């Protein structure tokens, strides 16, 4: 499938996105991109050592999407992530040590060992936990947006889905409801061209996922998902649109899944040339190049950030490894929420 | 409990009252579903509600059960207390995934409560055929994290719905269509709830425990009247809450009577009656003086034509026969 | 909602559809329209007399749609109908007496009393029974089309849905699958502007249901659902398209529900003017006018057909009333298909 | 039954063989699901199938369980024999409506058979967490019109899948992920089926009937070995088919032993074990010499972390404890 980002009118902010991003923000975006990459690479390494028991799904090569949209959000906003949104977890305040504890099934992880890998959630940080059943989180996102609307709040929800997830009925029902009620929710789609082993042309009859949004009358755009500045600036714009009461948007981020579906999958079904083509478009390479071009950072500044990140992750791995596993009887805890406790704000 | 001048309230009106009072009491409570707004719902439970509470607290949704149950879950996590109306309980199958995978597991997985109620008008006896008569409670009975309630009287209907709305967990509220306009009683003036998880002995008896719920309760009481004349004293235990079951109430009754009939309208195999029977023989075996009999619909879809549906539904006669069999055991 | 049939390019056959319909066919279409109307009116009358126990959903004022599409089909084709497709049942060969027996819960109805009103099916006549759960029949239609495709047969499936049903996930999943696999299936949608009491604008964010089809890359059209010639000629064309291996189409038929949702519903929520406007567009009036204009029939020819239909329905009612009810123990029959019997061709 | 030179076949290979042989035997059989084509399925059950049978008999579908189960139903009605693969049994919740409302009721309603198989890789013990470990069989157990099978050995896996494909009804085939590569045995060369509806006594014993299925069968046999040394003689009844249950086989065993343990990996409340217990106390009460004990997972979602999942899953020790309790009863 050939990518055709320029097929639609692209607003000014997409043609020169970097001009809209301050130096401080740009460096911060770089930090998060690098943090995401480093954290996931470490998880992959731990997986290869047999120290992670369940599966590992990474956003390798796609980090700019979740970093970009999450960076555009405000404190009270909510995300309903997909399974390749590590950057968003980090930006919303989930600590690497908590995340690693989650992967190792430790009690110090956000689910206390109850759930696996990317199934982390924390309402206080505005993070809905990912649900394996793809697209199930999208109706939830509309519900959170509905709550904001009913209460007259100006918060916004961002939901993310893969290309594969858009084939499910819940995608349809969620987008339709959001459109009818003009809810403050933005739908991102990481179109990484595969759902597990299934290429796009066996998933849908149109070339672009964005065509789906037309069915609902939801304004939509295709953007370069590997350029964090593009994602960030677009997200800012459509989130503002939603925040101001103009309803949902749909953003298709073209990208490529650079690892297997999960770390056990060698992804032989992906043509090598496709991977090579996309390797050149790596989001970290892109941002490094941009930072240098703009004069925002030289090699030493980047190295400094990289060192900082590596230390952070080392400490986090240590924490996670030293953390206790939960004990058997904890299995029985938490099936029901306490009846009398008022759990919500 | 009530003053003489009070009026009788139907089961359906009791549900309306509960919704109205909870919406007035707590502004986080809101309703969503198909045709519940200007139309007032297929059974008119929410007639006038949209006028009273506004468009955003009584929302007509597109025809998309999974989508609007999912939306209710999302809103619940944000601190709202949505009450979803299924137009018929049958259509809950379309939202099965959201209920069992998302709502039920959410708090266990990551500690986020889902205070949500799904109202499910269920049951047969109204010639609705295979798609408008189902008793689907057992589908959800095997899913930890859900609560299931199924009132049999206006009093319980009102009190359980209020309790369900105030609960911090996803509750499926099974309201029996056959009882809507047939069950009537005078209700207390004051605010009350019927606690979730507590069964109610609707008739005390010495000889046989009949354990049941929903539209089978009046049928059981009718049978008890007849059996009384034969000197068979039936105790009728109305479960009211199906999940979590009031195990203690069940066992207590059985310890007294030593004989058990379990009765439900849902089909037999894999029905909730199986669990009740299993609990009793697991924890009360030594008290048993006879087999635990189950009365339930046969294992078929609910047929439409009146002679078929009549054959399908459990009847007073079935109870009489079972009770007589046990009495002489 | 204002109807805007001419917004899209309309092919020749839609501007002068009648020129494509032979006199014999036109008269036959009239016969079926009148048969459908008369049969359903009789069912309504029986309902009012309390002789039908369940609900009654009619296609009153919408008959041209199911008559039009069904008349364009061939013997081996299959329909997956919605709940207002009485005309299609009749054209596929379901006899009025069987249909009335079904409404009365008699053993002589096609479901032997097991199911109600429009839930009739008969594989030999290529009719899938309607499933109450709206849109559930649409994936089934794709499956039948897939069977034809796998076996290299040239048969076609027509599925019909209401506007309301298009909001369900199964609609999305079915249309997407049909598009990806270019299956020989045509989707009709009776857009009668309401789903029960819910008007279109609370069901979807776009003005036309046809916008939904764009999400799948399925060619689509809006047509006048009250003109049987338009429906028939359009159906012929898109069915041929599917039969020749070019994949699915989506046809939105603009129409209006002229009765309540079911016969118990007075439909006070529908503006009177809307009903009056559409009453003037009644499909039977339209066809009578056309027949006369074309010189295909005068009043006496029409009267003759009407008399024939009335007699047919009288006899059918008699048959149904005299038919036996099933007996209680028949409840237990038919849960499973016999294991050894080979039930299919 | 087999020749000495034959090779051992895993449970997973047995499934592949059954599919391969049935597709070769009957051209109406075709497969659909996610990633079953070039990739060969998440568990590689259909590796090489698309090459062998072509693109239109091994179809990769979009990610849409309701849609492709519905498509299978439609194709089945047209005389095909689709076999659907769920990538994990957990995702069957997304197709619940099509299975229970359409497939299950179709023949009853209007006489159109739905000869379809849904393969559902299920069960825990592989650290899959709440969404990749579920034992969902009880969800479908209360739905007349479905058949449910759950083999525990390669022999049964192959024979039951062939029987399921040849059956004229919708069959859900629960294949246990834990057994995929762990269970091995030599299989007959010749074509055979294991009839649906027949349980199998995997170990004959006099003292206690242990009734179970799936991955709990090897666990039960392991427990039986240990108990033998304590002179407790366990009979292990492998249900194999869950719906329709082989009631006679269950009752026959109980009539002999008079004591019963029901064991399953699924959570306890509302599990299939409840029905088995209820059947026994309904039809075999007079033969019972002790309470019917159930061993099952506790009523929670399946937790991820190893110590939690280990706590969650039934263990050999649980069987030993229950057996010893019953032995001294
Ligand atoms: C309802 C459902 N069906 C199947 C799966 C198994 N599964 C997990 S991820 C995946 C592919 C997802 O593709 P996509 O949405 O494009 O996300 P990507 O992994 O490519 O980022 C599949 C089939 C699932 N998680 N949920
Ligand atoms: C899944 C599901 N939810 C709810 C219903 C109840 N119901 C029956 S018909 C109907 C409205 C249907 O609207 P539409 O599809 O536009 O068809 P129309 O009746 O207008 O012809 C509703 C809500 C149903 N049958 N199925
Ligand atoms: Mg993808
Ligand atoms: Mg409509």
């Amino acid at each position: 499938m050939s990518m055709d980002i320029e097929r639609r009118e692209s607003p000014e902010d997409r043609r020169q996105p970097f001009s809209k991003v301050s130096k401080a923000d740009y460096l911060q975006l770089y930090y998060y991109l690098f943090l995401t990459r480093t954290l996931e690479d470490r998880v992959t390494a731990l997986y290869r050592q047999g120290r992670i028991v369940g599966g590992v799904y990474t956003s390798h090569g796609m980090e700019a999407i979740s970093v970009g949209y999450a960076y555009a959000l405000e404190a009270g906003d909510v995300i309903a992530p997909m399974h390749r949104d590590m950057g968003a977890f980090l930006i919303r305040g989930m600590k690497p040590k908590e995340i690693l504890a989650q992967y190792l099934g430790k009690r110090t992880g956000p689910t206390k060992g109850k759930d696996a890998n990317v199934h982390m959630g924390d309402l206080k940080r505005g993070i809905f936990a990912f649900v394996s059943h793809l697209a199930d989180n999208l109706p939830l996102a509309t519900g959170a947006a509905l709550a904001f609307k009913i209460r007259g709040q100006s918060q916004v929800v961002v939901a993310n889905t893969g290309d594969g997830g858009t084939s499910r009925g819940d995608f349809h029902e969620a987008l339709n409801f959001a459109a009818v009620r003009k809810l403050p929710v933005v739908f991102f789609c990481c179109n990484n061209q595969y759902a597990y082993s299934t290429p796009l042309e066996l998933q849908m009859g149109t070339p672009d996922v964005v065509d789906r949004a037309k069915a609902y009358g939801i304004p939509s755009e295709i953007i370069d998902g590997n350029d964090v500045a593009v994602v960030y600036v677009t997200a800012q714009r459509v989130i503002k649109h939603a925040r101001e009461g103009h309803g949902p948007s749909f953003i298709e981020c073209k990208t490529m899944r650079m690892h297997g579906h999960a770390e056990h999958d060698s992804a032989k079904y992906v043509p090598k040339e496709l991977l090579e083509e996309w390797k050149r478009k790596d989001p970290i390479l892109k941002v490094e190049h941009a930072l240098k071009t703009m004069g925002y950072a030289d090699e030493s500044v980047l190295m400094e950030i990289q060192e900082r990140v590596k230390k952070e992750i080392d400490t986090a791995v240590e924490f996670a490894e030293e953390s206790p596993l939960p004990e058997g009887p904890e299995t029985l805890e938490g099936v029901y929420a306490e009846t009398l406790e008022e759990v919500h704000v | 409990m009530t003053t003489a001048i009070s009026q009788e309230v139907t089961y359906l009106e009791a549900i309306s009252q509960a919704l109205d009072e909870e919406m007035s009491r707590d502004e986080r409570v809101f309703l969503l579903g198909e045709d519940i707004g200007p139309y007032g719902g297929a059974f008119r439970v929410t007639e006038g509600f949209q006028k009273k509470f506004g468009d955003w607290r009584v929302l007509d949704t597109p025809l998309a059960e999974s989508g609007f149950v999912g939306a209710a879950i999302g809103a619940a996590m944000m601190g709202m207390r949505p009450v979803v109306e299924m137009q018929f309980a049958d259509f809950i199958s379309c939202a099965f995934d959201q209920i069992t995978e998302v709502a039920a597991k959410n708090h266990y997985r990551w500690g986020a409560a889902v205070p949500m109620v799904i109202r499910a008008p269920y049951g047969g006896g109204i010639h609705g055929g295979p798609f408008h008569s189902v008793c689907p409670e057992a589908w959800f009975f095997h899913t930890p994290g859900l609560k299931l309630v199924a009132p049999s009287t206006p009093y319980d209907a009102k009190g359980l719905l209020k309790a369900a709305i105030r609960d911090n967990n996803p509750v499926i509220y099974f309201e029996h269509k056959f009882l809507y306009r047939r069950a009537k009683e005078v209700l207390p003036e004051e605010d009350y709830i019927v606690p979730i998880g507590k069964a109610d002995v609707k008739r005390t008896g010495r000889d046989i425990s009949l354990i049941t719920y929903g539209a089978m309760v009046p049928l059981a009481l009718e049978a008890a009247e007849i059996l009384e004349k034969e000197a068979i004293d039936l105790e009728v235990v109305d479960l009211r809450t199906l999940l979590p079951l009031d195990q203690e109430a069940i066992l207590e009754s059985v310890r007294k009577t030593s004989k058990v009939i379990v009765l439900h309208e849902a089909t037999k195999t894999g029905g909730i009656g199986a669990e009740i029977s299993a609990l009793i023989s697991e924890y009360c075996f030594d008290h048993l003086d006879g087999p635990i009999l189950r009365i339930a619909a046969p294992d078929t879809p609910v047929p439409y034509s009146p002679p078929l549906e009549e054959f399908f539904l459990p009847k007073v006669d079935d109870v009489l026969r079972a009770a007589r069999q046990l009495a002489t055991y």
Side-chain angles (χ1 to χ4, degrees), chain A, chain B:
Chain A
M1 203 216 61
S2 82
M3 214 178 78
D4 191 2
I5 292 181
E6 295 310 309
R7 238 188 46 202
R8 286 174 181 71
E9 282 313 304
S10 75
E12 178 63 20
D13 59 18
R14 290 241 305 284
R15 256 169 285 144
Q16 292 212 313
F18 41 84
S19 67
K20 299 233 175 176
V21 184
S22 75
K23 177 179 165 185
D25 284 335
Y26 227 137
L27 284 168
Q28 196 62 2
L29 287 166
Y30 177 68
Y31 162 74
Y32 278 119
L33 276 181
F34 200 80
L35 183 64
T36 306
R37 172 75 52 95
T38 310
L39 173 58
E40 291 193 330
D41 279 354
R42 188 63 75 90
V43 170
T44 299
L46 289 166
Y47 177 82
R48 299 231 168 96
Q49 294 163 29
R51 274 146 83 196
I52 286 166
V53 222
V56 168
Y57 310 79
T58 80
S59 64
H60 198 105
M62 307 164 47
E63 297 92 340
I65 299 163
S66 71
V67 166
Y69 81 66
Y71 199 72
L73 286 167
E74 290 176 12
D77 295 335
V78 165
I79 63 166
M82 62 172 285
H83 52 293
R84 305 196 197 274
D85 277 358
M86 186 59 86
F89 286 117
L90 292 165
I91 293 176
R92 301 298 297 171
M94 201 75 87
K95 300 275 167 282
K97 63 180 187 177
E98 297 171 89
I99 294 168
L100 282 157
Q102 165 91 350
Y103 274 92
L104 296 178
K106 298 301 179 75
R107 191 196 281 134
T108 49
T111 67
K112 300 178 184 162
K114 295 285 177 54
D115 206 340
N117 53 67
V118 291
H119 295 252
M120 297 163 283
D122 184 350
L123 280 183
K124 283 194 262 357
R125 291 148 167 170
I127 303 171
F128 281 7
F130 169 66
V131 173
S132 283
H133 297 56
L134 293 175
D136 275 19
N137 254 1
L138 303 179
L140 269 57
T142 68
L146 179 62
F148 292 145
K149 186 130 181 172
I150 292 176
R151 297 194 295 229
Q153 291 168 293
S154 66
Q155 274 105 306
V156 168
V157 184
V158 169
N160 197 5
T161 170
D163 44 287
T166 69
S167 296
R168 271 207 61 229
D170 277 26
F171 169 88
H172 179 71
E173 299 191 5
L175 269 78
N176 190 45
F177 188 54
V180 171
R181 293 290 177 170
K182 284 204 175 305
L183 300 176
V185 53
V186 175
F187 299 98
F188 275 80
C189 173
C190 293
N191 180 354
N192 62 9
Q193 323 208 23
Y194 282 87
Y196 208 150
S197 75
T198 308
L200 224 51
E201 63 268 23
L202 286 179
Q203 298 179 52
M204 53 188 73
T206 63
D208 301 307
V209 182
V210 97
D211 294 328
R212 303 250 208 240
K214 294 182 198 159
Y216 315 103
I218 295 181
S220 60
E221 297 173 36
I222 296 178
I223 63 172
D224 179 355
N226 280 24
D227 187 329
V228 75
V230 171
V231 179
Y232 168 54
V233 170
T234 308
Q236 269 194 317
R237 178 166 39 77
V238 295
I239 287 168
K240 181 162 179 277
H241 183 83
R243 205 182 297 288
E244 288 172 353
H246 306 302
S249 303
F250 182 89
I251 307 298
E252 174 180 1
C253 302
K254 298 283 192 191
T255 186
M256 179 68 206
R257 201 190 69 208
M258 301 301 291
H259 280 194
H261 171 61
E263 294 305 293
H264 71 265
D265 169 22
S266 61
K268 283 192 219 129
Y269 48 82
V270 179
K272 278 222 180 57
E273 316 77 65
L274 196 59
L275 290 171
E276 273 154 28
E277 178 197 331
W278 280 90
K279 196 155 187 188
R280 289 191 294 275
K281 302 186 201 161
D282 183 274
I284 294 194
L285 291 185
K286 267 199 195 193
V287 72
E288 287 177 350
H289 182 259
L291 283 169
K292 289 180 194 164
T293 313
M294 315 265 300
Y296 286 172
D298 58 15
E299 198 58 42
S300 72
V301 172
L302 300 182
M303 290 266 288
E304 206 181 300
I305 294 175
Q306 292 165 13
E307 282 311 308
R308 174 152 62 97
V309 163
K310 277 174 195 153
K311 274 204 202 105
E312 215 177 325
I313 300 297
D314 283 343
T315 325
V317 172
E318 225 168 274
F319 171 87
E321 300 231 321
E322 282 168 11
S323 286
L325 285 163
E327 286 177 24
E330 291 171 37
T331 298
L332 305 177
E333 294 169 9
V335 175
Y336 292 109
E338 290 306 314
T339 303
L340 296 175
E341 184 199 347
E342 283 301 327
V343 282
H344 297 295
V345 202
Chain B
M1 179 165 111
T2 51
T3 60
I5 49 158
S6 295
Q7 274 224 314
E8 286 203 326
V9 168
T10 64
Y11 185 91
L12 188 141
E13 288 160 353
I15 295 169
S16 288
Q17 284 186 6
L19 289 174
D20 189 338
E21 289 173 22
E22 290 303 297
M23 288 183 78
S24 304
R25 188 187 62 78
D26 182 349
E27 62 174 17
R28 299 169 305 175
V29 180
F30 76 105
L31 314 182
L32 69 174
E34 290 151 358
D35 307 297
I36 64 169
Y39 192 65
F43 297 99
R44 307 307 175 97
V45 170
T46 57
E47 189 134 45
F49 274 55
Q50 197 177 59
K51 273 229 173 83
K52 179 164 178 187
F53 296 104
D55 285 6
W56 287 93
R57 288 186 71 198
V58 185
L59 283 123
D60 275 341
T61 61
L63 206 161
E65 283 74 8
S66 190
F68 63 71
V69 167
I73 296 170
M77 282 201 283
M78 299 314 295
M80 302 295 288
R81 295 190 167 264
V83 181
V84 175
E85 176 174 306
M86 289 286 148
Q87 198 156 80
F88 283 79
D90 307 67
F91 305 133
I92 205 169
S93 56
C94 301
F96 187 81
D97 172 59
Q98 283 286 347
I99 297 170
T100 60
E101 299 306 300
V102 189
K105 294 178 178 171
N106 216 57
H107 189 264
Y108 186 75
R109 291 172 55 231
W110 60 286
V114 181
M116 166 180 72
V117 178
I118 299 176
R119 289 180 39 233
Y122 79 120
I126 59 158
H127 307 304
F131 294 128
H132 290 76
S133 310
V134 88
C135 291
E137 59 275 17
W139 281 348
F140 299 97
F141 184 60
H142 187 57
T143 301
L146 299 179
K147 295 189 177 182
L148 311 178
V149 299
S152 72
T153 66
Y155 180 87
D156 290 347
K158 183 167 179 181
L160 277 172
L161 184 48
K162 286 177 159 245
I165 291 172
R166 297 178 196 182
D167 200 283
N168 279 333
N169 297 282
V171 182
I172 309 182
Y173 179 90
F174 290 99
E175 47 188 74
H176 203 295
K177 302 192 298 287
F178 188 80
L179 299 175
Y180 270 160
R181 293 181 174 87
R182 288 179 181 88
K184 291 189 192 96
E185 68 186 307
V186 177
L187 296 187
E189 302 275 305
E190 65 285 3
D191 181 47
Y192 70 95
I193 64 155
V194 169
I196 294 181
K198 288 273 166 256
D200 185 40
V201 177
K202 285 283 191 294
R203 181 186 198 280
T204 325
R206 276 171 336 234
D207 299 332
I208 298 171
S209 299
L210 188 148
I211 297 162
T212 190
Y213 58 92
M216 293 296 105
V217 172
L219 186 148
L221 292 171
E222 198 184 324
E225 295 289 299
I226 299 170
L227 290 165
E228 194 177 338
K229 291 173 203 135
E230 306 175 18
I232 301 175
D233 192 13
L234 219 58
E235 172 143 314
V236 177
V237 180
D238 179 358
L239 291 171
R240 300 199 296 197
T241 295
L242 307 178
L243 194 68
L245 271 176
D246 187 351
Q247 195 168 313
E248 204 26 61
I250 297 168
L251 300 181
E252 191 185 317
S253 177
V254 176
R255 277 186 223 112
K256 178 171 72 176
T257 62
S258 303
K259 289 178 178 172
V260 191
I261 299 169
V262 186
L263 164 67
H264 57 60
E265 180 184 326
T267 55
K268 183 172 179 184
T269 298
I272 286 174
E275 179 66 32
I276 295 162
S277 171
L279 281 174
I280 293 168
S281 58
E282 204 161 350
Y283 298 116
C284 234
F285 179 75
D286 292 333
H287 290 86
L288 281 178
D289 270 353
I292 303 168
L293 300 185
R294 282 184 296 163
I295 302 170
D299 290 333
T300 77
V302 187
Y304 162 67
S305 187
L308 302 182
E309 192 182 15
E310 204 192 321
F311 181 90
F312 175 85
L313 292 171
K315 280 165 280 295
V316 170
D317 265 357
D318 299 325
V319 179
L320 301 182
R321 208 173 314 115
R324 288 170 192 145
Q325 181 190 335
L326 278 185
T328 60
Y329 204 87

